[in-house]
Amino acid sequence: MKALQKFMDKVRPNFQKGGKYQYLHSTFDAFDTFLFVPGHVTKKGSHIRDGVDLKRTMFLVVIAAMPALLFGMWNVGYQHFLNINETATFMETFFYGFLKVLPLVIVSYVVGLGVEFIFAQMRGHEVNEGYLVSGFLIPLIIPVSTPLWMVGLATIFAVIIGKEVFGGTGMNIVNPALLARAFLFFAYPSQMSGDKVWIAEQVDGTTGATPLGHLLTATDKLPELPSVMESFIGTIPGSVGETSTLAILIGAVILLFTGIASWRVMFSVFAGGYLMGLVFNLIGANAYMTLPAHMHLLIGGFAFGAVFMATDPVSAAQTNRGKYIYGFLIGLMAVLIRVVNPAYPEGMMLAILLLNVFAPLIDHYVVAGNIKRRLNRMKKIAA
């Protein structure tokens, strides 16, 4: 590594102001800071207060999401061979899913980083590190059958509209990865919902409906759903990285242990969803409302959203009390949208995007409330 660092130090003047390749400064800086920790601190936007810089933070999030990706690859193969009624070894199953998921990851990173580099060069600033996470999360929250050109189009939309128009990483209002999924959901709904998109190369005449899809058709009684254990392990159809609550919780432990994610947000999302499920159980007006509350936390994108999306430090609430309110409302809204509005079976995406927008307002009222209480205490002391 010392030899590489010496080489980078030697060629660096060529990319600085007045150098032969100064117009490539942003590109060189991106590779330099990816390889070595820079010797300066962030001056604006989001920043952290210890020795782990933003790029290393993003890298830890990618590591935390790795169990969900690896299990998702295996599950893509498992669902395929289950659908065609054939048996396969563990490695055959994983390798089949690997070949199906890898192009999604490559397209997401190549297109997204390409847009990031173009904007960095045009504006003459550093390449934003935030896309290291967004590029990894986008393939995990879409069906495996999503056409690659749609992934590329959604990625461009998310990077430009979700980040760059607001000034880049640390300045965005909503989570860029979720914005990409929302774009696909509303622009190409047939590729993001239904029974035919969750299994790669599905055989005609078979169904690949997710548990949420089965619940939408429920009338008088609950349909036959996967067991709690199947839902927890994740051997069910769904988006690539969202089916296994177990793999997601492993990622949650990594995020909490390293201090990257907020336990207040994570805990309150699950609490809000569970409480809303219990409320619907008490009402029991239709079959969907009788679904056990804990099942809401295990199916769909609820757990993935709670761990990796709602905890986004940029778009989430910043105050401690605000984090409780923000997370609780996300969980509550996610289950509410699922059950009440059949047009949006996956309410987690819309709930997080909605609360992303309201997070600054929540913080505003929390801070205003604190100021008011302190002023009242001062008045009492003065009296």
Side-chain angles (χ1 to χ4, degrees):
M1 292 301 288
K2 286 185 177 178
L4 180 60
Q5 188 168 16
K6 286 182 179 179
F7 173 77
M8 298 295 285
D9 291 340
K10 182 180 179 181
V11 301
R12 183 175 292 109
N14 294 324
F15 296 92
Q16 294 176 338
K17 188 176 181 179
K20 187 177 180 181
Y21 305 111
Q22 64 170 347
Y23 60 94
L24 293 176
H25 168 73
S26 299
T27 304
F28 176 83
D29 181 74
F31 285 108
D32 188 24
T33 56
F34 180 78
L35 294 171
F36 303 103
V37 177
H40 55 79
V41 296
T42 305
K43 296 181 177 61
K44 61 181 180 179
S46 62
H47 57 277
I48 53 178
R49 300 175 179 79
D50 60 23
V52 181
D53 64 4
L54 184 58
K55 198 163 288 184
R56 255 45 63 174
T57 300
M58 298 298 172
F59 187 62
L60 287 173
V61 178
V62 170
I63 291 176
M66 196 62 76
L69 173 68
L70 296 177
F71 183 87
M73 288 177 170
W74 177 84
N75 191 46
V76 166
Y78 175 74
Q79 295 298 328
H80 168 71
F81 288 111
L82 185 67
N83 185 259
I84 63 175
N85 198 25
E86 288 186 6
T87 57
T89 64
F90 175 83
M91 288 309 299
E92 288 173 338
T93 303
F94 178 81
F95 194 64
Y96 178 88
F98 175 80
L99 293 179
K100 292 294 180 182
V101 175
L102 184 62
L104 300 177
V105 179
I106 293 175
V107 169
S108 174
Y109 269 121
V110 170
V111 174
L113 288 176
V115 176
E116 292 272 9
F117 273 78
I118 290 172
F119 269 85
Q121 291 294 152
M122 289 172 58
R123 294 177 171 177
H125 62 58
E126 298 175 354
V127 175
N128 293 322
E129 299 91 342
Y131 196 75
L132 292 175
V133 170
S134 300
F136 198 81
L137 296 182
I138 289 175
L140 297 182
I141 57 176
I142 59 177
V144 66
S145 62
T146 307
L148 296 180
W149 67 268
M150 286 188 190
V151 178
L153 191 61
T155 300
I156 293 172
F157 180 85
V159 174
I160 295 177
I161 305 300
K163 287 178 58 182
E164 296 300 337
V165 296
F166 296 104
T169 298
M171 310 300 287
N172 50 292
I173 295 176
V174 299
N175 186 297
L178 271 184
L179 193 62
R181 193 182 194 282
F183 173 84
L184 289 170
F185 183 82
F186 288 107
Y188 308 101
S190 62
Q191 296 291 336
M192 297 299 292
S193 59
D195 300 346
K196 304 295 183 183
V197 300
W198 308 107
I199 298 176
E201 300 180 28
Q202 188 172 343
V203 176
D204 291 337
T206 61
T207 178
T210 64
L212 290 174
H214 285 299
L215 286 165
L216 289 178
T217 61
T219 53
D220 298 331
K221 63 178 183 179
L222 282 176
E224 185 176 349
L225 296 174
S227 67
V228 172
M229 186 55 67
E230 288 174 325
S231 301
F232 181 72
I233 299 297
T235 54
I236 56 178
S239 296
V240 173
E242 293 183 344
T243 61
S244 176
T245 305
L246 174 61
I248 293 167
L249 290 181
I250 293 173
V253 171
I254 295 174
L255 292 179
L256 294 176
F257 180 76
T258 55
I260 301 297
S262 166
W263 67 267
R264 294 179 177 85
V265 173
M266 213 177 286
F267 169 77
S268 54
V269 171
F270 282 106
Y274 186 72
L275 182 63
M276 195 68 230
L278 290 178
V279 171
F280 278 128
N281 288 167
L282 291 175
I283 298 173
N286 56 41
Y288 205 156
M289 291 186 181
T290 63
L291 180 70
H294 61 270
M295 287 298 292
H296 280 291
L297 314 183
L298 300 176
I299 60 177
F302 193 97
F304 193 89
V307 172
F308 291 104
M309 298 297 187
T311 56
D312 180 356
V314 176
S315 55
Q318 303 300 310
T319 58
N320 286 343
R321 183 172 297 178
K323 289 175 181 176
Y324 287 122
I325 299 171
Y326 164 85
F328 185 81
L329 290 177
I330 286 178
L332 186 146
M333 291 292 295
V335 176
L336 180 67
I337 295 172
R338 274 182 181 180
V339 177
V340 174
N341 193 336
Y344 303 110
E346 184 45 271
M348 197 60 178
M349 171 188 72
L350 296 177
I352 295 175
L353 289 175
L354 178 66
L355 267 300
N356 281 168
V357 175
F358 281 98
L361 188 63
I362 294 172
D363 282 333
H364 169 77
Y365 281 108
V366 169
V367 172
N370 288 339
I371 293 174
K372 187 178 180 180
R373 280 192 294 274
R374 290 179 181 179
L375 289 175
N376 289 336
R377 283 202 298 268
M378 290 178 65
K379 288 179 181 177
K380 290 180 180 177
I381 293 172

